């Protein structure tokens, strides 16, 4: 059932999404066409490409962003990954991935797309494929003393850190991450 519900939720999100620009709208149409032709397109077993779900995590004050140094990509990127059979919706997948990779248990992902991105990668399939990444935003509560939220680095990450949004590390995925930050902060 979740295979169908993931597909339906991805299609619904993309259909109702008001894109911020013509480039995102073109990608939206491309991914919708892919989903129309690929009933298993939300699962990693779809070797031609598959939907992934990710989340850009901000602190409540919106001054910092939590990024992971991805072992395969070798750059600082947002949290996220593959959809799983037990995810009911794409937002569920993004939430699960953000919680697993940050250790922030109460992290809630906003059920609205911020950005979409597509990129070639050799992922866990071991063959070249394409990730069709649906990107969300979440805001982690700052601690009572105003300091940044605590996190727990998972074994899926080489490193995990809070970065000031105006001082990202040099090996951040550019221009995707700065654009994702700007778009998310402009919407929420």
């Amino acid at each position: 059932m979740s295979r169908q519900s993931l597909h339906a939720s991805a299609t619904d999100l993309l259909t109702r999404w008001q894109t911020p620009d013509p480039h995102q709208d073109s990608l939206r149409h491309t991914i919708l066409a892919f989903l129309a032709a690929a009933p298993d397109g939300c699962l990693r077993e779809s070797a031609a490409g598959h939907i992934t779900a990710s989340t850009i995590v901000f602190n409540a004050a919106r001054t910092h962003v939590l990024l992971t140094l991805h072992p395969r990509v070798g750059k600082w990127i947002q949290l996220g990954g593959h959809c799983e059979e037990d995810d009911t919706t794409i937002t569920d997948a993004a939430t699960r991935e953000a919680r697993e990779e940050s250790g922030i248990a109460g992290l809630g992902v906003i059920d609205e797309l911020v950005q979409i991105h597509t990129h070639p990668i050799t992922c866990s399939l071991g063959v070249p494929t394409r990730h069709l990444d649906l990107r969300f935003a979440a805001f982690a509560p700052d601690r009572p003393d105003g300091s940044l939220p605590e996190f727990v680095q998972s074994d899926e990450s080489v490193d995990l850190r809070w970065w000031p949004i105006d001082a990202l590390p040099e090996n951040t995925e550019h221009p995707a991450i700065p654009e994702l930050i700007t778009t998310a902060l402009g919407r929420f």
Side-chain angles (χ1 to χ4, degrees):
M1 181 64 169
S2 69
R3 181 179 305 251
Q4 292 84 8
S5 67
L6 277 168
H7 193 280
S9 86
T11 302
D12 178 60
L13 275 168
L14 289 162
T15 300
R16 63 182 166 89
W17 185 40
Q18 298 296 311
T19 59
D21 58 56
H23 174 69
Q24 288 286 286
D25 197 46
S26 178
L27 277 175
R28 181 180 75 88
H29 285 286
T30 299
I31 295 173
L32 281 167
F34 166 78
L35 286 170
D40 290 336
C42 292
L43 300 174
R44 77 178 87 199
E45 64 197 40
S46 176
H50 42 269
I51 298 292
T52 53
S54 65
T55 303
I56 189 79
V57 178
F58 296 92
N59 68 319
R62 294 166 165 74
T63 58
H64 288 74
V65 61
L66 187 62
L67 299 176
T68 181
L69 184 56
H70 194 280
R72 289 185 192 261
V73 178
K75 295 182 186 245
W76 291 95
I77 63 173
Q78 75 287 343
L79 308 178
H82 292 103
C83 300
E84 302 292 342
E85 285 276 356
D86 56 346
D87 296 322
T88 304
T89 68
I90 297 300
T91 307
D92 291 344
T95 301
R96 178 187 46 74
E97 285 288 337
R99 289 177 181 170
E100 285 176 1
E101 293 183 15
S102 72
I104 303 173
L107 191 62
V109 172
I110 297 170
D111 188 23
E112 183 178 330
L113 285 173
V114 173
Q115 183 187 65
I116 52 179
H117 186 267
T118 180
H119 52 272
I121 192 167
T122 299
C123 65
S124 58
L125 291 173
V127 297
T129 187
R130 180 160 292 279
H131 281 176
L132 309 168
D133 197 28
L134 305 186
R135 296 177 171 180
F136 299 85
F139 297 91
D142 290 328
R143 291 195 259 174
D145 66 1
S147 62
L148 293 170
E150 289 187 47
F151 61 83
V152 177
Q153 181 179 322
S154 77
D155 59 0
E156 294 180 38
S157 177
V158 173
D159 199 355
L160 183 68
R161 292 189 204 171
W162 286 107
W163 293 94
I165 60 171
D166 59 355
L168 299 175
E170 284 188 29
N171 61 336
T172 300
E173 186 181 45
H174 284 282
I177 295 300
E179 289 173 358
L180 177 57
I181 290 169
T182 300
T183 303
L185 291 176
R187 293 185 84 155
F188 305 112

